[in-house]
Amino acid sequence: MLTVMGATGNTGKKVVEMLLAAGQPVRALGRSEQRLGELAARGAEVLAGDPSDAAFLTRAFHGSSAVYVMLPEDRESPDYHQDQRRKGEAIVQAIRESRVRHVVALSSLGADQPEGTGLLLTLRAQEERLKTLRDTNILLLRPASFFENFLNALPLIQHQGINADSVDPDLSVPVIASRDIAAVAASALQRRDWNSVVVRELLGQRDLSYREATRILGARLGRPGLDYVQLPPGEMHQALVQAGMSETFAGLYVQMTQAFNEGRVQPRAGRTADNTTPTRFEDFVAELPLDSAGH
Ligand SMILES: NC(=O)c1ccc[n+]([C@@H]2O[C@H](COP(=O)([O-])OP(=O)(O)OC[C@H]3O[C@@H](n4cnc5c(N)ncnc54)[C@H](OP(=O)(O)O)[C@@H]3O)[C@@H](O)[C@H]2O)c1
């Protein structure tokens, strides 16, 4: 049995789909049986429960040859770090008690940095917690920012005709399709061919600036020349809070983008064949359903 957390989300759902396509027995976890229904219909065993409940996770992980673990985000939480810590501790306790031997854990590029990276610090803390496990082989996946993040801007693009964020417009940064992360995770869950703790960075097909990515997205939306505007940190913070995120989350998000802008989130050894993945941003936007593309 292979067990997957966050099975209705960007990476987890694709991991489940890839494992089912490979004929593997899969247990898919989420908070709602209804949202997991589609995966149940396709042959996954589904289990609904709270990702911060160690007893639930222990039951869910029990009997698994490998598990895919991640920290689902509550962007409205007034204390984001504490909320992520509760989930992270529950995951580690459940791995220990269920005695799973192979764990693929979703972390992030920048998780090597000890301070000043905002949201990424929760992932660093989780890496440290996972490293305390003995007799467990842990693959830490450190992907770049997901292509899917650009979809958060669709309402802004529709209503104001621009994309905006606090990232420097011309800074080329690695960005990746969640599908490419899922492919690496699904393969590792099946192969279970690593020992101890291994870190794997995933940088996507190429680096892209927010300005270029916005142009590519704009062309797909029938808005050629769509502009990207860099917001100062305070304005970005306010925009996130107005969109429903907590003050804490907004502050940590902006701090993370400052770390990007200052070049403090970097791969350990630059771009290599091993950390480059296939999906182009152009392919991703071409596949967007017209509805989610804002038509
Ligand atoms: N986005 C990026 O650029 C990026 C880059 C590097 C690392 N990461 C990390 O990747 C992880 C996210 O991975 P993902 O994008 O695959 O997952 P995701 O799509 O963000 O979410 C996974 C699942 O979390 C559940 N969820 C949503 N809101 C929740 C809440 N308030 N409390 C508890 N569960 C909630 C949802 O499932 P149910 O509602 O069905 O339970 C959702 O399907 C995070 O830890 C993030 O820090 C993200």
Side-chain angles (χ1 to χ4, degrees), residues 75 119-120 144-153 156-157 162-176 206-219 225-231 236 240 253-254 256-261 265 281 285:
R75 298 177 171 205
L119 293 173
L120 306 182
S145 299
F146 300 178
F147 290 168
E148 282 79 359
N149 296 342
F150 285 98
L151 304 183
N152 295 334
L156 178 70
I157 294 171
I162 54 156
N163 182 17
D165 206 311
S166 41
V167 177
D168 181 328
D170 296 311
L171 178 76
S172 271
V173 288
V175 277
I176 186 166
R206 69 186 194 278
D207 292 2
L208 264 183
S209 71
Y210 272 49
R211 202 193 296 279
E212 287 171 273
T214 300
R215 287 278 152 83
I216 295 167
L217 182 60
L226 179 68
D227 211 7
Y228 171 79
V229 176
Q230 182 180 12
L231 299 180
M236 185 65 197
L240 292 173
Y253 179 91
V254 170
M256 175 181 74
T257 61
Q258 284 173 314
F260 292 160
N261 292 345
V265 175
F281 189 63
V285 300

Side-chain angles (χ1 to χ4, degrees), residues 160-225:
Q160 297 192 31
I162 54 156
N163 182 17
D165 206 311
S166 41
V167 177
D168 181 328
D170 296 311
L171 178 76
S172 271
V173 288
V175 277
I176 186 166
S178 64
R179 169 208 293 173
D180 290 355
I181 305 165
V184 171
S187 165
L189 290 166
Q190 293 174 84
R191 294 161 70 105
R192 305 189 288 280
D193 57 355
W194 74 94
N195 288 314
S196 188
V197 178
V198 172
V199 173
R200 179 136 186 224
E201 295 176 337
L202 298 170
L203 305 188
Q205 184 260 344
R206 69 186 194 278
D207 292 2
L208 264 183
S209 71
Y210 272 49
R211 202 193 296 279
E212 287 171 273
T214 300
R215 287 278 152 83
I216 295 167
L217 182 60
R220 166 72 175 126
L221 301 178
R223 294 174 182 265

Side-chain angles (χ1 to χ4, degrees), residues 17-284:
E17 289 169 344
M18 288 170 188
L19 293 174
L20 288 175
Q24 297 288 332
V26 186
R27 192 175 288 154
L29 311 185
R31 292 172 303 166
S32 145
E33 225 162 86
Q34 196 197 346
R35 282 194 293 278
L36 291 163
E38 186 194 329
L39 293 173
R42 290 158 72 174
E45 182 189 316
V46 303
L47 267 182
D50 177 352
S52 60
D53 176 352
F56 162 69
L57 291 177
T58 304
R59 277 197 309 281
F61 293 173
H62 187 76
S64 306
S65 14
V67 296
Y68 177 69
V69 301
M70 44 97 66
L71 294 178
E73 291 182 331
D74 181 356
R75 298 177 171 205
E76 295 169 19
S77 169
D79 191 341
Y80 182 81
H81 278 319
Q82 192 198 21
D83 194 62
Q84 295 301 74
R85 181 165 62 241
R86 279 179 39 238
K87 289 178 202 140
E89 287 172 354
I91 289 168
V92 171
Q93 188 182 333
I95 295 169
R96 190 176 284 119
E97 289 179 6
S98 61
R99 298 169 190 254
V100 176
R101 300 301 301 273
H102 283 86
V103 173
V104 177
L106 181 59
S107 182
S108 176
L109 207 64
D112 55 324
Q113 295 299 310
E115 57 188 15
T117 57
L119 293 173
L120 306 182
L121 289 174
T122 61
L123 298 165
R124 177 185 172 81
Q126 181 64 356
E127 287 195 1
E128 295 305 312
R129 261 179 231 117
L130 288 164
K131 286 179 193 166
T132 65
L133 289 164
R134 296 284 163 251
D135 306 321
T136 311
N137 303 299
I138 315 237
L139 176 61
L140 298 169
L141 296 183
R142 289 187 184 161
S145 299
F146 300 178
F147 290 168
E148 282 79 359
N149 296 342
F150 285 98
L151 304 183
N152 295 334
L154 289 177
L156 178 70
I157 294 171
Q158 253 181 324
H159 295 121
Q160 297 192 31
I162 54 156
N163 182 17
D165 206 311
S166 41
V167 177
D168 181 328
D170 296 311
L171 178 76
S172 271
V173 288
V175 277
I176 186 166
S178 64
R179 169 208 293 173
D180 290 355
I181 305 165
V184 171
S187 165
L189 290 166
Q190 293 174 84
R191 294 161 70 105
R192 305 189 288 280
D193 57 355
W194 74 94
N195 288 314
S196 188
V197 178
V198 172
V199 173
R200 179 136 186 224
E201 295 176 337
L202 298 170
L203 305 188
Q205 184 260 344
R206 69 186 194 278
D207 292 2
L208 264 183
S209 71
Y210 272 49
R211 202 193 296 279
E212 287 171 273
T214 300
R215 287 278 152 83
I216 295 167
L217 182 60
R220 166 72 175 126
L221 301 178
R223 294 174 182 265
L226 179 68
D227 211 7
Y228 171 79
V229 176
Q230 182 180 12
L231 299 180
E235 275 182 42
M236 185 65 197
H237 183 112
Q238 205 152 2
L240 292 173
V241 171
Q242 272 165 10
M245 288 158 222
S246 70
E247 289 281 347
T248 335
F249 182 90
L252 293 168
Y253 179 91
V254 170
Q255 198 181 93
M256 175 181 74
T257 61
Q258 284 173 314
F260 292 160
N261 292 345
E262 291 164 14
R264 288 185 279 111
V265 175
Q266 294 291 339
R268 292 178 303 178
R271 183 175 284 280
T272 63
D274 195 47
N275 61 29
T276 295
T277 64
T279 307
R280 301 179 318 145
F281 189 63
E282 288 83 348
D283 305 329
F284 169 78

